Amino acid sequence: MKAGIVGLPNVGKSTLFNCLSNAKAQSANFPFCTIEPNIGVVNVPDPRLEKLEELVNPERVQPATVEIVDIAGLVKGASKGEGLGNQFLANIRETDAILHVLRCFDNDNIVHVDGNVNPIRDKETIDMELQLKDLETVDKKLDKVKRAAKTGNKDAQKEEAVLLKIKAGLEAGVSVRALEFSEEDDIEFVKPSQFITDKPVMYVCNVDEGSAVSGNAYVELVRETVKDENAEVLVLAVGTEADINELDDYEERQMFLADIGLEEAGAAKLIRSAYKLLNQQTYFTAGVKEVRAWTIDIGATAPQAAGVIHTDFEKGFIRAEVIGYEDFASYGSEAKVKEAGKMRVEGKNYIVKDGDVMHFLFNV
């Protein structure tokens, strides 16, 4: 699962990406690997994993990861190919969620592509380009579907109605994610089309250091504008984060954060938020060989969770032994949890909870 960083040029996207690539503000190791020049895999910071490591003292620890893509700045006309627009839009289409960076700081030394700072205008510019690209997709699909609908094909007629609703919305400047569909129509017709504006979005307001804790007037404008989008707004002083990452000493970094009123680096919050935005959650396996965080979709069943380890675990699933994270942390070991009668045995229909510590029994 990938989250793509988008925005206009010079809003702080690449600085943010580089912060994530060098997020030394964490106490735990925070490795990052670059798959391509603009794609990185970052560990999801999770204090629960650190606690399990402390209790179990394993040979190795494996955190959950999230893939972040730095997509070059979009410009007006991108949907028509301006500024390598087609390539950028193709990159966005391949991601599962969007981290939309908005410039919310004044600095005469950093040129704004449109002449002055206005995050709402910037947001609308990006939204319009993505909506125009989706409109192109809708029109192509409608050409095919209408022909089938005319022959009396019931499914085609249903799809045509959904596509016409999407087309009307996009033409009115409404993104697909803001339109309402029945669950059936969403699964059958909307999701398979992979509309760019249907992807979940989080707005990252890039502010100056003085606004890192509580934001500023620009941030309030963004919050007001997106209040009906059901989207998270994250305030981040990207330049300050870059300065913090230049410090090699952990204690110095913590002092720097404390000086500006932050408990932890914004990069950590961003990664955790991106993980949730991708509809992901974590369960753990904890043994002396390895303590590991496994990534599953929210709502996954126990057999599906087992399948993340190995497909044979899912095929031959018998049952799962489950300890809630809080119980494990409270009692301090698997043995003590068992003694207290807090370990549960769950079957195929169990919906895994975030933080469950699990052991699977299977037979192939």
Side-chain angles (χ1 to χ4, degrees):
M1 300 290 279
K2 298 179 191 173
I5 302 174
V6 306
L8 292 176
N10 288 351
V11 296
K13 297 184 312 303
S14 293
T15 306
L16 175 59
F17 182 77
N18 292 337
C19 280
L20 300 178
S21 73
N22 189 26
K24 294 185 292 188
Q26 296 304 300
S27 56
N29 286 333
F30 205 156
F32 171 102
C33 69
T34 301
I35 303 170
E36 292 175 22
N38 67 334
I39 301 178
V41 177
V42 191
N43 284 355
V44 179
D46 193 333
R48 298 174 301 182
L49 192 67
E50 293 171 29
K51 181 67 176 176
L52 289 172
E53 179 184 8
E54 178 191 314
L55 294 172
V56 178
N57 193 26
E59 292 176 17
R60 61 182 179 270
V61 177
Q62 181 64 50
T65 60
V66 64
E67 202 164 299
I68 305 288
V69 186
D70 181 20
I71 295 165
L74 283 171
V75 295
K76 281 180 186 170
S79 57
K80 304 297 180 191
E82 291 292 330
L84 299 178
N86 290 332
Q87 181 185 326
F88 302 156
L89 289 161
N91 288 342
I92 296 170
R93 197 180 293 284
E94 288 170 10
T95 65
D96 303 286
I98 294 172
L99 308 177
H100 189 158
V101 181
L102 295 166
R103 177 172 168 176
C104 294
F105 66 90
D106 293 305
N107 186 332
D108 293 338
N109 295 320
I110 301 174
V111 177
H112 190 288
V113 69
D114 285 329
N116 66 319
V117 178
N118 184 334
I120 307 310
R121 178 201 57 213
D122 295 354
K123 174 191 177 304
E124 288 170 353
T125 297
I126 298 288
D127 284 351
M128 186 184 295
E129 293 306 325
L130 302 185
Q131 287 162 2
L132 286 169
K133 200 64 183 175
D134 277 350
L135 200 51
E136 197 179 290
T137 303
V138 168
D139 286 338
K140 283 179 184 172
K141 288 186 78 72
L142 271 171
D143 283 344
K144 293 179 184 174
V145 171
K146 277 181 175 175
R147 286 196 292 271
K150 281 178 182 173
T151 66
N153 183 309
K154 298 291 184 191
D155 285 339
Q157 288 171 352
K158 278 187 194 174
E159 186 171 7
E160 181 184 19
V162 170
L163 292 174
L164 286 170
K165 181 176 178 178
I166 291 171
K167 181 179 169 72
L170 291 168
E171 286 176 341
V174 180
S175 293
V176 177
R177 76 177 76 85
L179 299 171
E180 289 186 12
F181 301 96
S182 69
E183 188 178 353
E184 183 186 341
D185 285 347
D186 192 49
I187 292 168
E188 198 168 344
F189 305 123
V190 183
K191 289 287 180 275
S193 298
Q194 292 187 299
F195 292 111
I196 298 172
T197 65
D198 191 35
K199 297 179 190 295
V201 65
M202 175 169 65
Y203 295 99
V204 181
C205 291
N206 183 11
V207 299
D208 57 278
E209 184 177 310
S211 306
V213 177
S214 51
N216 56 28
Y218 291 131
V219 174
E220 291 312 309
L221 277 172
V222 172
R223 285 191 173 125
E224 179 62 26
T225 303
V226 308
K227 66 182 180 183
D228 297 327
E229 288 190 32
N230 192 29
E232 183 178 354
V233 176
L234 191 74
V235 178
L236 206 64
V238 176
T240 305
E241 295 275 331
D243 291 340
I244 293 169
N245 281 339
E246 291 299 313
L247 300 171
D248 289 323
D249 183 72
Y250 173 69
E251 299 301 329
E252 282 185 31
R253 293 195 296 274
Q254 292 307 106
M255 284 172 62
F256 194 143
L257 285 166
D259 283 346
I260 60 174
L262 295 175
E263 291 181 11
E264 67 172 346
K269 288 182 189 172
L270 175 66
I271 294 162
R272 280 200 299 272
S273 296
Y275 193 64
K276 284 182 185 170
L277 192 66
L278 290 163
N279 198 43
Q280 305 285 278
Q281 67 178 16
T282 301
Y283 78 86
F284 302 101
T285 50
V288 290
K289 288 282 185 189
E290 179 183 70
V291 165
R292 181 164 183 160
W294 298 89
T295 299
I296 55 171
D297 288 338
I298 293 171
T301 61
Q304 288 169 334
V308 173
I309 299 176
H310 198 287
T311 51
D312 285 351
F313 282 30
E314 183 171 4
K315 287 175 191 168
F317 179 90
I318 299 171
R319 63 182 181 274
E321 294 175 346
V322 184
I323 302 170
Y325 167 76
E326 295 299 337
D327 285 333
F328 201 111
S330 175
Y331 289 96
S333 73
E334 186 177 313
K336 287 179 181 174
V337 171
K338 283 182 179 176
E339 281 174 26
K342 294 289 185 179
M343 177 184 278
R344 308 189 311 275
V345 175
E346 302 286 0
K348 291 183 177 180
N349 295 325
Y350 177 66
I351 304 298
V352 179
K353 294 181 178 65
D354 186 50
D356 278 350
V357 181
M358 305 185 77
H359 176 69
F360 300 104
L361 285 83
F362 68 102
N363 181 34
V364 176

